[in-house]
Amino acid sequence: MMPAMMPADATASDAAPQGVYWHNWTDSKGVSHLTRCHFHRYILKSMSKPAGPQWQDRLPPGRTTIISTVQPAHWDGTWHPDPTVQWIIPLRGTWFVEAMDGTRVVMGPGDLSLGEDQMSRRDARGHIGHNAGNVGDGPVTLMVIQTDQAPTIDRPCRFQ
């Protein structure tokens, strides 16, 4: 697992952090891929004065739906595309995502994933989108932030 952000004790005198996320994207042949990406445009400013400044990298605005989900122990998501462009944040437990190209990433609390494989096409093995499931014997709690953004093709790390 890799941390999504710099340590909480970072100060304004430190260099701008780099946030990390996994991007599940689709190429022009309809094959999904997982790429490790970075947020790069951090600006140090207050979120709401008089609160002190914090590093922020704002993504494009839009409508969102926020879902808290608990996948039961041994949950198996099988092969499917994400229903919409969505951010997935594990809060408790460990799960995996496997792209059609065979890349598999295991994620837990502190990791961040952008699911954008809606444009994938079923391959000769019957795979489409991604496979996902729990790792271990316990449930997995996720925060899912679904967006109204249109899915892209051939744009890994689209938020650089």
Side-chain angles (χ1 to χ4, degrees):
M1 290 182 270
M2 64 190 62
M5 300 299 295
M6 293 292 287
D9 60 354
T11 66
S13 63
D14 293 331
Q18 282 196 358
V20 175
Y21 67 98
W22 285 99
H23 188 187
N24 182 13
W25 59 280
T26 305
D27 67 22
S28 58
K29 296 178 182 172
V31 177
S32 65
H33 305 269
L34 282 161
T35 301
R36 184 173 181 253
C37 305
H38 294 91
F39 293 113
H40 291 284
R41 299 180 303 242
Y42 280 98
I43 298 170
L44 187 65
K45 68 180 203 171
S46 175
M47 189 91 82
S48 177
K49 294 191 181 224
Q54 55 189 308
W55 292 103
Q56 301 174 40
D57 184 352
R58 290 190 176 255
L59 300 177
R63 292 159 98 24
T64 61
T65 299
I66 299 174
I67 302 168
S68 174
T69 181
V70 178
Q71 298 168 174
H74 308 286
W75 179 81
D76 176 5
T78 199
W79 288 94
H80 67 283
D82 287 302
T84 184
V85 176
Q86 60 187 15
W87 292 96
I88 304 161
I89 307 158
L91 301 176
R92 181 178 294 166
T94 305
W95 73 307
F96 74 90
V97 176
E98 179 182 0
M100 294 168 68
D101 69 1
T103 305
R104 180 182 162 124
V105 176
V106 175
M107 292 177 257
D111 291 323
L112 183 59
S113 174
L114 175 61
E116 186 180 15
D117 60 1
Q118 296 80 15
M119 306 303 284
S120 60
R121 294 191 294 266
R122 195 167 304 280
D123 66 14
R125 299 170 295 174
H127 298 169
I128 187 169
H130 65 280
N131 186 17
N134 292 4
V135 175
D137 293 326
V140 175
T141 303
L142 303 172
M143 179 69 64
V144 180
I145 304 169
Q146 296 182 329
T147 75
D148 66 353
Q149 296 179 358
T152 60
I153 294 177
D154 283 331
R155 289 203 45 211
C157 303
R158 74 185 272 193
F159 294 115
Q160 293 195 101

